[in-house]
Amino acid sequence: MNVNMNQISMLLVRLFAGFTMFFAGFEKAINQYWGGHTVGFSAKASLINGGGGILHDWFVSIAPTNWVSPLVYTSEILIGIAILIGLSVRLAVIFGVIENGLFWANAYMPLSTVTNTVVNGQIVSTHSINTGVFGLGWSSGPLELNAALIMMYICLFIVGGTALKFSISGYLNKYDFVKKNKILQLLL
């Protein structure tokens, strides 16, 4: 089999992005104590303690509904599986960008904030700078991983599943029925 370094690089990107998304969802689905919660993954509990971005209040308002938590971990699992096996990679990474982008928008913090509090009858101003690792105002930790995943998704979208070695899409692209159907080629 003739494999070059670009193919190996994209395989590693695909495997990292796929495993990261799959296990993020899988852990939320099965781990009763995910994120320190005693009742399993709860979108509401996760959102109340984190974030502060422009969409934060809206996310917190819809989180108590019964469909949000299962939607989060099911979509993470499905996105991860699709990327791992290389099936409908472009479609999977579009949904990955949407999900990770929404997480990112929820937790965006302004570069600097000023908090005024009253202490002993005096107004005290507290200034804080939230630069994050990249100095963009994003908090560090999982959000920096979201930024890295979004960049990986963009690379995978450009390459597409059919150009990837070791993928179901790459295998299916060899058949005439796929070669003749432009829409199917885009979906794979």
Side-chain angles (χ1 to χ4, degrees):
M1 183 181 291
N2 191 9
V3 178
N4 65 35
M5 290 305 291
N6 289 338
Q7 292 166 335
I8 292 172
S9 299
M10 289 312 296
L11 175 65
L12 293 175
V13 166
R14 197 179 95 220
L15 291 177
F16 179 80
F19 277 119
T20 301
M21 284 303 283
F22 174 78
F23 283 108
F26 187 70
E27 182 183 38
K28 290 176 183 117
I30 67 163
N31 191 348
Q32 160 178 355
Y33 302 107
W34 185 89
H37 307 300
T38 57
V39 294
F41 173 70
S42 163
K44 180 180 180 183
S46 296
L47 286 167
I48 287 173
N49 296 324
I54 56 173
L55 300 176
H56 180 71
D57 292 337
W58 179 71
F59 281 145
V60 171
S61 73
I62 65 164
T65 60
N66 292 335
W67 57 271
V68 174
S69 292
L71 177 68
V72 168
Y73 60 75
T74 303
S75 64
E76 287 176 346
I77 290 171
L78 293 175
I79 290 167
I81 289 172
I83 293 171
L84 277 173
I85 64 174
L87 184 62
S88 295
V89 172
R90 284 191 175 120
L91 189 60
V93 298
I94 287 170
F95 285 109
V97 167
I98 291 169
E99 183 171 10
N100 284 283
L102 288 173
F103 291 155
W104 215 16
N106 173 60
Y108 173 78
M109 302 295 277
L111 283 175
S112 63
T113 57
V114 177
T115 307
N116 293 320
T117 55
V118 177
V119 177
N120 296 330
Q122 302 262 338
I123 296 176
V124 177
S125 294
T126 305
H127 300 265
S128 62
I129 299 174
N130 306 309
T131 61
V133 175
F134 296 136
L136 298 173
W138 309 104
S139 66
S140 59
L143 287 179
E144 301 300 347
L145 177 60
N146 281 346
L149 282 171
I150 289 171
M151 294 310 297
M152 289 179 206
Y153 295 152
I154 291 169
C155 292
L156 289 170
F157 182 83
I158 292 168
V159 171
T162 56
L164 298 174
K165 288 272 188 186
F166 315 111
S167 70
I168 292 176
S169 294
Y171 176 77
L172 292 175
N173 194 46
K174 298 175 184 175
Y175 291 99
D176 287 336
F177 72 91
V178 175
K179 290 179 182 177
K180 292 177 184 176
N181 189 331
K182 297 291 182 191
I183 294 173
L184 193 53
Q185 287 178 354
L186 284 175
L187 288 176
L188 290 177

